[in-house]
Amino acid sequence: MSLKEELTALKEEALKKISEISSSESLERIRVEFLGKKGKLKNILKTLGKLEPEQRKEIGKLANSIKEFIEEKLKEKEKQLKEKTLQEKLEKERLDITLPSFWHDIGASHPVMSTLVEISEIFLSMGFSIEEGPEVEYEEYNFDMLNIPKDHPARDMQDTFFLNNGMLLRTHTSPVQIRTMLKNKPPIAIIAPGRVYRKDADPTHSPMFHQIEGLMVDKDITFKDLKGILKIFLENIFGKDIPIRFRPSYFPFTEPSAEVDIGCTVCGGKGCRVCKETGWLEILGCGMVDPNVFEAVGIDPDEYSGFAFGLGIERIAMLRYQITDIRILFENNMRFNQQFKGIR
Ligand code: DAH
């Protein structure tokens, strides 16, 4: 084989091997194999000295161009390899930006809270203000001064959580009436929302629930005022066409007393399971403040009169949102609460 043929064969061989390279290590190996000090090209050119000057020049030129060619191809390959490694790395370390990131969900108002706020706003708009009282209450304020006698069943160990120190967890928000009247002179127009406690637990009763108490005391307050205020309140909550009825009842702290029913919001008054086939839903208790209560707080019942009412917030929330089991309100399940996002 002539030198020229050898060089051409070398070029072909190098081209083939370079095309098969798959890593930077083999690239280095091939470079040494062909272009190194003891490489194939040098080896072929060993005999260059024996050639005629003319030929030497020609072969030298050819050898040089082959060297440059191989270098060029190696460079190309190196670039390809780098590109490939980068591509693989990008693939491997890929960030999936479509995955949800760590974000803080926007909360939803709990249905009991939004109902409480809505009821409060209706009364605030009519000039009532908000009073608060403690959940740990004196027996006197929770019972005695509200004209609830010592032998009344509500004071029974069954219903009331009594505490070791002689106090109790208030069983209703009515003691806030007492606290307000001890503190302020009439005219009084307050509502008192808050937590109350009873030993009671079933689908419609929870040992802790929320009530709103209302109290209005001034000269010449009559049952008509009570009816008018409660009508405005109920129409605002349940809609202008809601049927309302006052039913005579009894509470120790009011005389006369009434319970207020609304037409069943589930069946529209026809009778169903929710209204126990009566067509009516009991919604609150109310009445004219009993003279005994006025006397207990030092207000002259001959000079002043007033009305009071009390209602359970959970019951209203359940009717508004068609919730049938009160216990779900207290499970603090985010998926339940989130359903009320944006609802007021
Ligand atoms: N305190 C009563 C209860 O817990 C509700 C109530 C009824 C409050 C009549 C009142 C009222 O102020 O006049 O069942």
Side-chain angles (χ1 to χ4, degrees):
M1 228 196 300
S2 71
L3 264 183
K4 204 169 164 181
E5 280 166 344
E6 267 186 75
L7 282 171
T8 317
L10 181 83
K11 183 179 165 184
E12 293 305 316
E13 190 194 349
L15 202 56
K16 184 164 174 278
K17 285 204 167 160
I18 288 170
S19 76
E20 287 164 359
I21 290 174
S22 64
S23 72
S24 49
E25 295 91 72
S26 43
L27 186 108
E28 239 358 83
R29 226 183 40 240
I30 301 293
R31 187 196 307 280
V32 175
E33 179 180 337
F34 287 90
L35 306 178
K37 276 194 189 121
K38 292 173 182 163
K40 287 180 167 162
L41 187 64
K42 282 266 154 58
N43 205 29
I44 294 170
L45 298 178
K46 251 189 215 154
T47 53
L48 199 64
K50 293 176 190 152
L51 295 177
E52 295 296 310
E54 260 313 292
Q55 255 188 331
R56 199 191 302 166
K57 206 173 155 192
E58 191 192 335
I59 295 296
K61 227 170 155 187
L62 179 66
N64 239 338
S65 78
I66 287 177
K67 183 173 168 251
E68 269 167 25
F69 176 81
I70 294 176
E71 268 169 356
E72 188 60 34
K73 288 288 161 196
L74 282 170
K75 222 185 250 166
E76 252 173 45
K77 192 72 196 183
E78 192 175 1
K79 209 173 138 203
Q80 275 175 25
L81 283 177
K82 269 199 187 137
E83 194 78 12
K84 201 173 132 227
T85 324
L86 179 69
Q87 217 47 48
E88 280 169 0
K89 203 170 162 203
L90 282 176
E91 202 58 45
K92 211 167 71 196
E93 295 171 6
R94 184 192 184 87
L95 277 183
D96 186 350
I97 57 163
T98 66
L99 275 177
S101 69
F102 302 101
W103 64 305
H104 297 282
D105 204 352
I106 296 169
S109 188
H110 190 283
V112 169
M113 271 308 135
S114 50
T115 304
L116 189 158
V117 168
E118 188 163 338
I119 295 173
S120 300
E121 279 174 359
I122 296 168
F123 283 104
L124 288 173
S125 78
M126 293 192 281
F128 285 72
S129 56
I130 293 178
E131 279 291 332
E132 281 184 310
E135 289 166 35
V136 174
E137 188 54 282
Y138 297 113
E139 212 172 324
E140 281 84 359
Y141 289 3
N142 194 82
F143 293 128
D144 301 81
M145 293 172 84
L146 284 164
N147 198 34
I148 303 174
K150 287 265 187 278
D151 57 2
H152 194 281
R155 298 175 74 137
D156 203 295
M157 295 296 288
Q158 295 288 304
D159 297 317
T160 308
F161 289 105
F162 286 99
L163 305 176
N164 292 337
N165 60 3
M167 297 179 85
L168 46 74
L169 295 182
R170 65 179 178 190
T171 58
H172 50 181
T173 43
S174 302
V176 186
Q177 285 187 36
I178 301 297
R179 289 177 173 272
T180 305
M181 289 190 283
L182 285 174
K183 198 172 63 178
N184 301 334
K185 296 254 146 311
I188 291 168
I190 59 111
I191 54 165
R195 294 191 189 95
V196 301
Y197 301 84
R198 287 179 202 178
K199 287 186 184 171
D200 227 353
D202 64 43
T204 52
H205 295 90
S206 159
M208 186 283 293
F209 61 104
H210 298 76
Q211 285 189 336
I212 291 191
E213 192 76 15
L215 175 70
M216 181 178 261
V217 181
D218 201 354
K219 288 177 177 153
D220 303 323
I221 299 287
T222 69
F223 204 93
K224 272 204 307 201
D225 298 309
L226 171 60
K227 283 186 84 170
I229 295 270
L230 289 182
K231 186 167 183 283
I232 291 172
F233 158 60
L234 292 170
E235 286 178 352
N236 264 285
I237 285 280
F238 293 105
K240 249 176 68 70
D241 300 322
I242 190 79
I244 300 169
R245 76 173 182 191
F246 283 69
R247 193 163 32 79
S249 185
Y250 171 78
F251 297 102
F253 30 89
T254 44
E255 184 59 35
S257 302
E259 275 172 281
V260 178
D261 300 338
I262 57 168
C264 181
T265 51
V266 178
C267 63
K270 284 195 210 73
C272 69
R273 209 167 45 90
V274 176
C275 60
K276 300 198 183 81
E277 306 301 333
T278 64
W280 294 95
L281 297 168
E282 193 185 307
I283 217 79
L284 59 84
C286 63
M288 302 307 292
V289 178
D290 193 289
N292 288 343
V293 175
F294 277 144
E295 263 155 27
V297 295
I299 291 178
D300 183 357
D302 291 330
E303 192 180 354
Y304 289 102
S305 59
F307 66 74
F309 59 88
L311 56 91
I313 299 175
E314 279 78 1
R315 179 156 171 78
I316 293 185
M318 287 168 77
L319 288 172
R320 291 180 78 203
Y321 300 122
Q322 319 248 305
I323 298 164
T324 49
D325 192 327
I326 195 170
R327 291 167 292 197
I328 199 169
L329 290 170
F330 304 115
E331 282 173 0
N332 292 330
N333 181 339
M334 278 305 286
R335 286 190 302 163
F336 170 75
N337 292 356
Q338 289 289 338
Q339 294 177 70
F340 303 97
K341 210 183 229 164
I343 298 180
R344 258 267 326 219

